[in-house]
Amino acid sequence: MIPTIIVFLIIGLIITGILISPIITKQRINRLKKRPFPPLWNAIIENNLPIYTRLSPDERRRLQGHVQVFLAEKQFIGCQGLQVTEEMKLTIAAVACLLLLNERGEYFPTLRSILIYPSAYIVNETVATSEYVVEERRVARLGESWSRDQVVLSWEQVQQDTHNWSDGHNVILHEFAHQLDQEEGKTQGVPILPRKSDYPIWARVMTEAYQQLCNDVQRGIKNVMDNYGATNPAEFFAVATETFFEKPQQLLKMHPGLYELLQGYYQVDPGEWV
């Protein structure tokens, strides 16, 4: 009888823990978001994120809260002898958290660490050159997103991107868009959407814009989005995200349906920040 009671008590405690855990997590996040935002942090972000001063007071407040949570939850690791500074952490966090202004309640949950290299880094990449031949190459990279638990960034590229905000290229936005895409494990250009009814609309609009980019690349026609977006649907979503935040007016003019879709997903209108 006693062992049975103990088993039921253990099961009860486990169930209670499962039910209470989300509440505790939400309370912890709310406490972090309500912390006073240090003036030095504000100055660093203002200096390194050109659009920061153009955000509405409410958007700035929300971004500051997200940055507080992001810095508390994620680990930053310097590679090749790089010493990670407060400026690096805040710059990366501020740009990444622009993708969270829709208040989705998740802070890239599968991500644990951000690895920062001083500049481009070299990786070994295995490529199938034919049906029976596999070739290993050494490739220079500026950033990548791992579905396991890491994002890798080149600090030199981060600086270049933030200082040239309107060129449509941003390694942080690109790799963290991949993080959103990877939350369910698959990388296919479809992040988790609020409602089931959103998925058919997402598929239709994204497919049309993706096919147009692919056609433009094949015909040598200039598109507002970088040609790299024609690689596959996952890269298209990441490139479209970069373009949405950095070249909103051009994207709205060329792809109004895509702009409206991303505006609905991210719950911001970067066109107002220009």
Side-chain angles (χ1 to χ4, degrees), residues 61-76:
R61 178 188 56 77
R62 286 188 284 135
L63 183 65
Q64 291 171 358
H66 294 329
V67 166
Q68 300 261 39
V69 178
F70 188 96
L71 293 179
E73 290 189 348
K74 313 306 178 187
Q75 179 185 24
F76 292 80

Side-chain angles (χ1 to χ4, degrees), residues 157-187:
Q157 187 62 39
V158 167
Q159 290 179 300
Q160 180 177 322
D161 291 341
T162 52
H163 292 148
N164 296 279
W165 185 262
S166 60
D167 65 355
H169 298 282
N170 191 295
V171 68
I172 302 175
L173 291 175
H174 187 101
E175 302 307 337
F176 278 89
H178 281 320
Q179 279 291 309
L180 295 175
D181 191 8
Q182 292 166 341
E183 281 187 21
E184 284 191 319
K186 297 179 181 179
T187 308

Side-chain angles (χ1 to χ4, degrees), residues 83-98:
Q83 295 295 316
V84 177
T85 65
E86 198 167 49
E87 178 187 13
M88 294 176 185
K89 293 181 181 180
L90 285 164
T91 302
I92 293 169
V95 177
C97 288
L98 286 174

Side-chain angles (χ1 to χ4, degrees), residues 254-267:
M254 181 171 283
H255 297 284
L258 177 59
Y259 188 90
E260 183 180 354
L261 186 77
L262 293 174
Q263 183 183 4
Y265 174 67
Y266 287 117
Q267 289 294 298

Side-chain angles (χ1 to χ4, degrees), residues 8-258:
F8 277 112
L9 284 173
I10 293 173
I11 293 173
L13 288 172
I14 292 173
I15 294 174
T16 302
I18 293 172
L19 294 174
I20 292 177
S21 180
I23 298 174
I24 295 174
T25 299
K26 188 174 182 179
Q27 290 176 340
R28 179 183 62 83
I29 287 174
N30 287 336
R31 284 197 300 270
L32 287 169
K33 289 166 70 173
K34 291 177 181 178
R35 284 181 177 177
F37 203 74
L40 177 59
W41 288 16
N42 197 66
I44 290 173
I45 295 176
E46 187 172 323
N47 188 57
N48 287 274
L49 181 58
I51 61 166
Y52 182 63
T53 57
R54 302 173 194 170
L55 303 181
S56 69
D58 178 64
E59 287 170 335
R60 272 200 305 275
R61 178 188 56 77
R62 286 188 284 135
L63 183 65
Q64 291 171 358
H66 294 329
V67 166
Q68 300 261 39
V69 178
F70 188 96
L71 293 179
E73 290 189 348
K74 313 306 178 187
Q75 179 185 24
F76 292 80
I77 301 172
C79 303
Q80 295 181 346
L82 180 70
Q83 295 295 316
V84 177
T85 65
E86 198 167 49
E87 178 187 13
M88 294 176 185
K89 293 181 181 180
L90 285 164
T91 302
I92 293 169
V95 177
C97 288
L98 286 174
L99 306 185
L100 305 180
L101 286 176
N102 55 7
E103 301 295 342
R104 54 196 302 273
E106 297 282 351
Y107 288 82
F108 308 107
T110 63
L111 177 65
R112 297 289 175 269
S113 305
I114 296 101
L115 279 60
I116 311 174
Y117 282 83
S119 56
Y121 55 96
I122 306 297
V123 298
N124 292 323
E125 186 177 82
T126 302
V127 180
T129 56
S130 69
E131 187 175 355
Y132 303 105
V133 179
V134 176
E135 183 179 299
E136 188 173 89
R137 302 172 180 171
R138 289 174 62 78
V139 180
R141 289 186 179 171
L142 301 173
E144 56 189 314
S145 173
W146 296 1
S147 58
R148 294 190 297 274
D149 63 355
Q150 294 181 337
V151 162
V152 188
L153 299 169
S154 155
W155 176 242
E156 182 178 69
Q157 187 62 39
V158 167
Q159 290 179 300
Q160 180 177 322
D161 291 341
T162 52
H163 292 148
N164 296 279
W165 185 262
S166 60
D167 65 355
H169 298 282
N170 191 295
V171 68
I172 302 175
L173 291 175
H174 187 101
E175 302 307 337
F176 278 89
H178 281 320
Q179 279 291 309
L180 295 175
D181 191 8
Q182 292 166 341
E183 281 187 21
E184 284 191 319
K186 297 179 181 179
T187 308
Q188 52 191 7
V190 185
I192 297 174
L193 302 177
R195 298 170 297 274
K196 285 186 178 181
S197 59
D198 293 334
Y199 287 93
I201 300 171
W202 183 277
R204 176 178 57 79
V205 175
M206 280 287 181
T207 299
E208 289 177 359
Y210 172 60
Q211 289 177 343
Q212 181 177 339
L213 177 61
C214 291
N215 292 337
D216 287 349
V217 170
Q218 290 177 351
R219 297 164 60 188
I221 298 174
K222 185 175 177 59
N223 192 295
V224 66
M225 287 178 280
D226 189 86
N227 289 356
Y228 188 64
T231 305
N232 56 51
E235 295 301 344
F236 178 77
F237 170 56
V239 168
T241 294
E242 293 178 86
T243 311
F244 174 71
F245 280 96
E246 291 214 355
K247 302 171 78 173
Q249 293 179 330
Q250 296 96 313
L251 184 64
L252 176 61
K253 183 177 180 180
M254 181 171 283
H255 297 284
L258 177 59

